[in-house]
CSV table of all heavy atoms in Angstrom, one decimal:
chain,number,residue,atom,x,y,z
Z,15,ALA,N,59.0,-10.4,-59.2
Z,15,ALA,CA,57.9,-11.2,-58.7
Z,15,ALA,C,58.1,-12.7,-58.9
Z,15,ALA,O,57.8,-13.6,-58.0
Z,15,ALA,CB,56.6,-10.8,-59.3
Z,16,HIS,N,58.6,-13.1,-60.1
Z,16,HIS,CA,58.9,-14.5,-60.4
Z,16,HIS,C,60.0,-15.0,-59.5
Z,16,HIS,O,59.9,-16.1,-59.0
Z,16,HIS,CB,59.3,-14.6,-61.8
Z,16,HIS,CG,58.1,-14.8,-62.8
Z,16,HIS,ND1,57.5,-16.0,-63.0
Z,16,HIS,CD2,57.5,-13.9,-63.6
Z,16,HIS,CE1,56.5,-15.8,-63.9
Z,16,HIS,NE2,56.5,-14.5,-64.2
Z,17,LYS,N,61.0,-14.2,-59.3
Z,17,LYS,CA,62.1,-14.6,-58.4
Z,17,LYS,C,61.7,-14.8,-57.0
Z,17,LYS,O,62.1,-15.8,-56.3
Z,17,LYS,CB,63.2,-13.6,-58.5
Z,17,LYS,CG,64.0,-13.6,-59.8
Z,17,LYS,CD,65.1,-12.6,-59.7
Z,17,LYS,CE,65.9,-12.6,-61.0
Z,17,LYS,NZ,67.0,-11.6,-61.0
Z,18,GLU,N,60.8,-13.9,-56.5
Z,18,GLU,CA,60.3,-14.0,-55.1
Z,18,GLU,C,59.5,-15.3,-55.0
Z,18,GLU,O,59.6,-16.0,-54.0
Z,18,GLU,CB,59.5,-12.8,-54.8
Z,18,GLU,CG,58.9,-12.8,-53.4
Z,18,GLU,CD,59.9,-12.8,-52.3
Z,18,GLU,OE1,61.1,-12.4,-52.6
Z,18,GLU,OE2,59.6,-13.2,-51.2
Z,19,GLU,N,58.6,-15.6,-56.0
Z,19,GLU,CA,57.8,-16.8,-55.9
Z,19,GLU,C,58.7,-18.0,-56.0
Z,19,GLU,O,58.4,-19.0,-55.2
Z,19,GLU,CB,56.8,-16.8,-57.1
Z,19,GLU,CG,55.8,-17.9,-56.9
Z,19,GLU,CD,54.7,-17.7,-58.0
Z,19,GLU,OE1,54.6,-16.6,-58.6
Z,19,GLU,OE2,54.0,-18.7,-58.3
Z,20,ALA,N,59.7,-18.0,-56.9
Z,20,ALA,CA,60.6,-19.1,-56.9
Z,20,ALA,C,61.4,-19.3,-55.6
Z,20,ALA,O,61.6,-20.5,-55.2
Z,20,ALA,CB,61.6,-19.0,-58.1
Z,21,ARG,N,61.7,-18.2,-55.0
Z,21,ARG,CA,62.5,-18.3,-53.7
Z,21,ARG,C,61.6,-18.9,-52.6
Z,21,ARG,O,62.0,-19.8,-51.9
Z,21,ARG,CB,62.9,-16.9,-53.3
Z,21,ARG,CG,63.8,-16.9,-52.0
Z,21,ARG,CD,64.2,-15.5,-51.7
Z,21,ARG,NE,63.0,-14.7,-51.3
Z,21,ARG,CZ,62.4,-14.7,-50.1
Z,21,ARG,NH1,62.9,-15.5,-49.2
Z,21,ARG,NH2,61.4,-14.0,-49.8
Z,22,LYS,N,60.3,-18.6,-52.6
Z,22,LYS,CA,59.4,-19.1,-51.6
Z,22,LYS,C,59.2,-20.6,-51.9
Z,22,LYS,O,59.2,-21.4,-50.9
Z,22,LYS,CB,58.0,-18.4,-51.7
Z,22,LYS,CG,58.1,-17.0,-51.2
Z,22,LYS,CD,56.7,-16.3,-51.3
Z,22,LYS,CE,56.8,-14.9,-50.8
Z,22,LYS,NZ,55.4,-14.2,-50.9
Z,23,ARG,N,59.1,-21.0,-53.2
Z,23,ARG,CA,58.9,-22.4,-53.5
Z,23,ARG,C,60.1,-23.2,-53.1
Z,23,ARG,O,60.1,-24.3,-52.5
Z,23,ARG,CB,58.6,-22.6,-54.9
Z,23,ARG,CG,57.2,-22.2,-55.4
Z,23,ARG,CD,56.8,-22.8,-56.7
Z,23,ARG,NE,57.7,-22.4,-57.8
Z,23,ARG,CZ,57.5,-21.3,-58.5
Z,23,ARG,NH1,56.4,-20.6,-58.4
Z,23,ARG,NH2,58.4,-21.0,-59.5
Z,24,ASN,N,61.3,-22.6,-53.3
Z,24,ASN,CA,62.5,-23.3,-53.0
Z,24,ASN,C,62.7,-23.4,-51.5
Z,24,ASN,O,63.2,-24.4,-51.0
Z,24,ASN,CB,63.7,-22.6,-53.6
Z,24,ASN,CG,63.8,-22.7,-55.1
Z,24,ASN,OD1,63.3,-23.7,-55.6
Z,24,ASN,ND2,64.5,-21.8,-55.8
Z,25,GLN,N,62.3,-22.4,-50.7
Z,25,GLN,CA,62.3,-22.5,-49.3
Z,25,GLN,C,61.5,-23.7,-48.8
Z,25,GLN,O,61.9,-24.4,-47.9
Z,25,GLN,CB,61.9,-21.2,-48.6
Z,25,GLN,CG,62.9,-20.1,-48.7
Z,25,GLN,CD,62.4,-18.8,-48.1
Z,25,GLN,OE1,61.2,-18.6,-47.9
Z,25,GLN,NE2,63.4,-17.9,-47.9
Z,26,MET,N,60.3,-23.7,-49.3
Z,26,MET,CA,59.3,-24.8,-48.9
Z,26,MET,C,59.9,-26.2,-49.3
Z,26,MET,O,59.9,-27.1,-48.5
Z,26,MET,CB,58.0,-24.6,-49.6
Z,26,MET,CG,56.9,-25.7,-49.2
Z,26,MET,SD,56.6,-25.6,-47.4
Z,26,MET,CE,55.8,-24.0,-47.3
Z,27,ARG,N,60.5,-26.3,-50.5
Z,27,ARG,CA,61.1,-27.5,-50.9
Z,27,ARG,C,62.3,-27.9,-50.0
Z,27,ARG,O,62.5,-29.0,-49.6
Z,27,ARG,CB,61.6,-27.4,-52.4
Z,27,ARG,CG,60.6,-27.5,-53.4
Z,27,ARG,CD,61.2,-27.2,-54.8
Z,27,ARG,NE,60.3,-27.6,-55.9
Z,27,ARG,CZ,60.1,-28.7,-56.4
Z,27,ARG,NH1,60.9,-29.7,-56.0
Z,27,ARG,NH2,59.3,-29.0,-57.4
Z,28,THR,N,63.1,-26.9,-49.7
Z,28,THR,CA,64.3,-27.1,-48.8
Z,28,THR,C,63.8,-27.6,-47.4
Z,28,THR,O,64.4,-28.5,-46.8
Z,28,THR,CB,65.1,-25.9,-48.7
Z,28,THR,OG1,65.5,-25.4,-50.0
Z,28,THR,CG2,66.4,-26.1,-47.8
Z,29,PHE,N,62.8,-26.9,-46.9
Z,29,PHE,CA,62.3,-27.3,-45.6
Z,29,PHE,C,61.8,-28.8,-45.6
Z,29,PHE,O,62.1,-29.6,-44.7
Z,29,PHE,CB,61.2,-26.4,-45.2
Z,29,PHE,CG,60.6,-26.7,-43.8
Z,29,PHE,CD1,61.3,-26.5,-42.7
Z,29,PHE,CD2,59.3,-27.3,-43.8
Z,29,PHE,CE1,60.7,-26.8,-41.4
Z,29,PHE,CE2,58.7,-27.6,-42.6
Z,29,PHE,CZ,59.4,-27.3,-41.4
Z,30,LEU,N,61.0,-29.1,-46.7
Z,30,LEU,CA,60.5,-30.4,-46.8
Z,30,LEU,C,61.6,-31.5,-47.0
Z,30,LEU,O,61.6,-32.6,-46.4
Z,30,LEU,CB,59.5,-30.5,-48.0
Z,30,LEU,CG,58.8,-31.8,-48.3
Z,30,LEU,CD1,58.0,-32.3,-47.1
Z,30,LEU,CD2,58.0,-31.7,-49.5
Z,31,MET,N,62.7,-31.0,-47.8
Z,31,MET,CA,63.8,-32.0,-48.0
Z,31,MET,C,64.5,-32.3,-46.7
Z,31,MET,O,64.8,-33.5,-46.4
Z,31,MET,CB,64.8,-31.3,-49.0
Z,31,MET,CG,66.0,-32.1,-49.2
Z,31,MET,SD,67.2,-31.2,-50.2
Z,31,MET,CE,67.7,-30.0,-48.9
Z,32,TRP,N,64.8,-31.3,-45.9
Z,32,TRP,CA,65.5,-31.6,-44.6
Z,32,TRP,C,64.6,-32.4,-43.6
Z,32,TRP,O,65.2,-33.3,-42.9
Z,32,TRP,CB,65.9,-30.3,-43.9
Z,32,TRP,CG,67.0,-29.6,-44.7
Z,32,TRP,CD1,67.0,-28.4,-45.3
Z,32,TRP,CD2,68.3,-30.1,-44.8
Z,32,TRP,NE1,68.2,-28.1,-45.8
Z,32,TRP,CE2,69.1,-29.2,-45.6
Z,32,TRP,CE3,69.0,-31.3,-44.5
Z,32,TRP,CZ2,70.4,-29.4,-45.9
Z,32,TRP,CZ3,70.3,-31.5,-44.8
Z,32,TRP,CH2,71.0,-30.6,-45.6
Z,33,ILE,N,63.3,-32.2,-43.7
Z,33,ILE,CA,62.4,-33.1,-42.8
Z,33,ILE,C,62.5,-34.5,-43.3
Z,33,ILE,O,62.7,-35.5,-42.5
Z,33,ILE,CB,61.0,-32.6,-42.9
Z,33,ILE,CG1,60.9,-31.2,-42.1
Z,33,ILE,CG2,60.0,-33.6,-42.3
Z,33,ILE,CD1,59.5,-30.6,-42.2
Z,34,ILE,N,62.4,-34.8,-44.6
Z,34,ILE,CA,62.5,-36.1,-45.1
Z,34,ILE,C,63.9,-36.7,-44.8
Z,34,ILE,O,64.0,-37.9,-44.4
Z,34,ILE,CB,62.2,-36.1,-46.6
Z,34,ILE,CG1,60.7,-35.7,-46.9
Z,34,ILE,CG2,62.4,-37.5,-47.2
Z,34,ILE,CD1,60.4,-35.6,-48.3
Z,35,ILE,N,65.0,-36.0,-45.0
Z,35,ILE,CA,66.3,-36.5,-44.7
Z,35,ILE,C,66.4,-36.9,-43.2
Z,35,ILE,O,67.0,-37.9,-42.9
Z,35,ILE,CB,67.4,-35.5,-45.1
Z,35,ILE,CG1,67.4,-35.3,-46.7
Z,35,ILE,CG2,68.7,-35.8,-44.6
Z,35,ILE,CD1,68.4,-34.3,-47.2
Z,36,ALA,N,65.9,-36.0,-42.4
Z,36,ALA,CA,66.0,-36.3,-40.9
Z,36,ALA,C,65.2,-37.6,-40.6
Z,36,ALA,O,65.7,-38.4,-39.8
Z,36,ALA,CB,65.4,-35.1,-40.1
Z,37,ILE,N,64.0,-37.8,-41.2
Z,37,ILE,CA,63.3,-39.0,-41.0
Z,37,ILE,C,64.0,-40.2,-41.4
Z,37,ILE,O,64.1,-41.3,-40.8
Z,37,ILE,CB,61.9,-38.9,-41.6
Z,37,ILE,CG1,61.0,-37.8,-40.9
Z,37,ILE,CG2,61.2,-40.2,-41.6
Z,37,ILE,CD1,59.7,-37.5,-41.6
Z,38,VAL,N,64.6,-40.1,-42.7
Z,38,VAL,CA,65.3,-41.3,-43.2
Z,38,VAL,C,66.5,-41.6,-42.4
Z,38,VAL,O,66.8,-42.8,-42.0
Z,38,VAL,CB,65.7,-41.0,-44.7
Z,38,VAL,CG1,66.7,-42.0,-45.2
Z,38,VAL,CG2,64.5,-40.9,-45.6
Z,39,ILE,N,67.3,-40.6,-42.0
Z,39,ILE,CA,68.5,-40.9,-41.1
Z,39,ILE,C,68.1,-41.4,-39.8
Z,39,ILE,O,68.7,-42.4,-39.2
Z,39,ILE,CB,69.4,-39.6,-41.0
Z,39,ILE,CG1,70.0,-39.3,-42.4
Z,39,ILE,CG2,70.5,-39.8,-40.0
Z,39,ILE,CD1,70.8,-38.0,-42.4
Z,40,GLY,N,67.0,-40.9,-39.2
Z,40,GLY,CA,66.5,-41.4,-37.9
Z,40,GLY,C,66.1,-42.8,-38.0
Z,40,GLY,O,66.3,-43.6,-37.1
Z,41,TYR,N,65.3,-43.1,-39.1
Z,41,TYR,CA,64.9,-44.5,-39.3
Z,41,TYR,C,66.0,-45.4,-39.4
Z,41,TYR,O,66.0,-46.5,-38.9
Z,41,TYR,CB,64.0,-44.5,-40.5
Z,41,TYR,CG,63.5,-45.9,-40.9
Z,41,TYR,CD1,62.4,-46.4,-40.2
Z,41,TYR,CD2,64.1,-46.7,-41.8
Z,41,TYR,CE1,61.9,-47.7,-40.5
Z,41,TYR,CE2,63.6,-47.9,-42.1
Z,41,TYR,CZ,62.5,-48.4,-41.5
Z,41,TYR,OH,62.1,-49.7,-41.8
Z,42,SER,N,67.1,-45.0,-40.2
Z,42,SER,CA,68.2,-45.9,-40.4
Z,42,SER,C,69.0,-46.1,-39.1
Z,42,SER,O,69.6,-47.2,-38.9
Z,42,SER,CB,69.1,-45.4,-41.5
Z,42,SER,OG,69.7,-44.1,-41.1
Z,43,LEU,N,69.1,-45.1,-38.2
Z,43,LEU,CA,69.8,-45.3,-37.0
Z,43,LEU,C,69.1,-46.1,-35.9
Z,43,LEU,O,69.6,-46.9,-35.3
Z,43,LEU,CB,70.2,-43.9,-36.4
Z,43,LEU,CG,71.3,-43.1,-37.2
Z,43,LEU,CD1,71.4,-41.7,-36.6
Z,43,LEU,CD2,72.6,-43.8,-37.0
Z,44,ILE,N,67.8,-45.7,-35.8
Z,44,ILE,CA,67.0,-46.3,-34.7
Z,44,ILE,C,66.4,-47.6,-35.0
Z,44,ILE,O,66.5,-48.6,-34.3
Z,44,ILE,CB,65.9,-45.3,-34.2
Z,44,ILE,CG1,66.6,-44.0,-33.7
Z,44,ILE,CG2,65.1,-45.9,-33.1
Z,44,ILE,CD1,65.6,-42.9,-33.4
Z,45,ILE,N,65.8,-47.7,-36.2
Z,45,ILE,CA,65.0,-48.9,-36.6
Z,45,ILE,C,66.0,-49.9,-37.3
Z,45,ILE,O,66.1,-51.1,-36.8
Z,45,ILE,CB,63.8,-48.6,-37.4
Z,45,ILE,CG1,63.0,-47.5,-36.8
Z,45,ILE,CG2,63.0,-49.8,-37.8
Z,45,ILE,CD1,62.4,-47.9,-35.4
Z,46,VAL,N,66.6,-49.5,-38.3
Z,46,VAL,CA,67.4,-50.5,-39.2
Z,46,VAL,C,68.8,-50.6,-38.6
Z,46,VAL,O,69.4,-51.6,-38.8
Z,46,VAL,CB,67.4,-50.0,-40.6
Z,46,VAL,CG1,68.1,-51.0,-41.5
Z,46,VAL,CG2,66.0,-49.8,-41.1
Z,47,GLN,N,69.3,-49.5,-38.0
Z,47,GLN,CA,70.6,-49.5,-37.5
Z,47,GLN,C,71.7,-49.7,-38.6
Z,47,GLN,O,72.7,-50.4,-38.4
Z,47,GLN,CB,70.8,-50.5,-36.3
Z,47,GLN,CG,70.0,-50.3,-35.1
Z,47,GLN,CD,70.2,-51.3,-34.0
Z,47,GLN,OE1,70.8,-52.3,-34.2
Z,47,GLN,NE2,69.7,-51.0,-32.8
């Protein structure tokens, strides 16, 4: 049960991480260049 809960939290963290990375890279390419 602990492992399953940790896995769900990690999935959410990973999803959030990739969204933030995509925003940062997009901002650096389009806005800041």
Side-chain angles (χ1 to χ4, degrees):
H16 275 279
K17 287 182 178 179
E18 178 64 21
E19 189 173 342
R21 185 180 65 82
K22 291 179 181 179
R23 286 198 300 267
N24 287 337
Q25 285 180 344
M26 183 62 67
R27 281 173 171 272
T28 302
F29 179 73
L30 181 61
M31 177 189 69
W32 288 117
I33 290 178
I34 295 174
I35 289 176
I37 293 173
V38 169
I39 292 179
Y41 178 81
S42 63
L43 285 174
I44 298 171
I45 306 300
V46 183
Q47 295 183 347

